[in-house]
Amino acid sequence: MGVPGKVITVRMHGSILLGGDKMAISDWPEDERPRERLLAHGAASLSDAELLAIFLRVGVKGKSAVDLGRDLISRFRGLNRMFSASQAEFSALPGMGPAKYAQLQAVLEMARRALSEEMRQGMAFASPGAVRDYLRLHLAGLEHEVFFALWLDAQNRLIAAEELFRGTLTQTSVYPREVVKRALRHNAAAVVLAHNHPSGVAEPSRADELLTSELKQVLALVEVRVLDHFIVAQQSPPLSFAERGLL
């Protein structure tokens, strides 16, 4: 038993308990607060839950913002699925709502636009990581398959990014004639193709390889180069056909 009148503080997995109740983050020691740690050591030093805590700003009764961040990650099994959640799904958790959902979507759209700026300036293909990041933001958390294209000019600068076809959990129908029509509409000189695997495994099927070969051939007829085809999945980095020698 504790000594009457004595306050007992226990740290447990990033939460701080005071006399059996969780303290607000503002009451934590300064060097343990997510915002202060970010400013001192950079955003990469924080966990996913701590980064979300900075975004959320405040918790709810009995839970700090870090606890809410953990709840979100647990509920959606990671950040990608949380990013692609509907408003109803996101708002189902206590402490969330339309305002937080709108803020999250705004943050995501700013990230997409920042990466788009890089690609429009021709910087992305000197650093393919930007292309991977852009595709993951768009496709990784989706629960249905989509077929996506990044249309590029002769200097490999981004002209447009668009979803061409949408399918089910396991397949998407892709029509080469429609792909060619979109290439001509954008007056593209090259394209990066992409599709997602909601199963979570970024491995190409034989059908993926045959489709890529067919699209490469028909697009060559209108002088559009296929630079790469990425498969995007939640549980692994995007797979590049070019790096695998499949293009």
Side-chain angles (χ1 to χ4, degrees):
M1 295 179 63
V3 178
K6 184 177 181 181
V7 176
I8 302 173
T9 302
V10 181
R11 290 181 180 85
M12 187 172 183
H13 304 299
S15 296
I16 298 182
L17 305 181
L18 181 60
D21 295 321
K22 290 184 179 178
M23 294 170 60
I25 289 177
S26 59
D27 295 324
W28 292 13
E30 190 167 321
D31 61 356
E32 294 189 18
R33 300 174 196 167
R35 183 175 62 187
E36 282 71 13
R37 287 180 50 224
L38 183 150
L39 293 173
H41 305 293
S45 67
L46 271 61
S47 68
D48 291 348
E50 289 170 328
L51 289 170
L52 279 172
I54 293 174
F55 164 75
L56 294 169
R57 294 181 56 208
V58 295
V60 295
K61 185 174 182 179
K63 288 189 177 183
S64 70
V66 173
D67 296 319
L68 286 182
R70 290 198 190 97
D71 288 348
L72 282 168
I73 292 167
S74 175
R75 166 67 177 81
F76 294 108
R77 302 190 303 279
L79 293 174
N80 282 321
R81 289 194 183 277
M82 185 192 74
F83 292 155
S84 61
S86 68
Q87 181 180 331
E89 290 174 319
F90 185 82
S91 301
L93 282 174
M96 302 302 108
K100 288 294 183 202
Y101 181 78
Q103 288 176 325
L104 179 65
Q105 295 307 308
V107 169
L108 288 171
E109 187 58 26
M110 285 191 289
R112 294 184 188 112
R113 292 185 187 189
L115 291 169
S116 293
E117 283 181 10
E118 288 190 43
M119 291 189 281
R120 286 193 171 91
Q121 294 165 5
M123 298 161 58
F125 293 92
S127 175
V131 180
R132 283 185 162 89
D133 290 342
Y134 183 87
L135 292 171
R136 289 194 74 170
L137 278 175
H138 274 276
L139 305 178
L142 298 178
E143 295 185 353
H144 53 271
E145 279 201 10
V146 300
F147 194 82
F148 203 79
L150 302 174
W151 300 111
L152 312 171
D153 66 13
Q155 285 74 48
N156 289 344
R157 293 174 300 198
L158 183 68
I159 299 170
E162 64 178 350
E163 179 184 309
L164 297 177
F165 308 101
R166 179 174 294 207
T168 64
L169 176 66
T170 57
Q171 64 180 4
T172 305
S173 296
V174 176
Y175 302 96
R177 178 178 176 179
E178 294 300 317
V179 177
V180 171
K181 286 169 64 177
R182 300 303 295 175
L184 294 173
R185 183 180 185 278
H186 291 295
N187 194 28
V191 65
V192 172
L193 304 170
H195 75 280
N196 64 314
H197 281 180
S199 65
V201 180
E203 281 297 321
S205 65
R206 181 58 179 158
D208 292 334
E209 294 179 27
L210 291 172
L211 173 63
T212 304
S213 178
E214 182 178 0
L215 290 174
K216 183 178 179 181
Q217 291 177 38
V218 297
L219 287 167
L221 295 176
V222 292
E223 299 183 334
V224 176
R225 296 169 293 127
V226 177
L227 299 184
D228 210 337
H229 183 172
F230 286 94
I231 298 178
V232 181
Q234 188 178 26
Q235 297 174 8
S236 56
L239 178 142
S240 161
F241 275 52
E243 292 177 0
R244 279 281 187 97
L246 299 173
L247 200 60

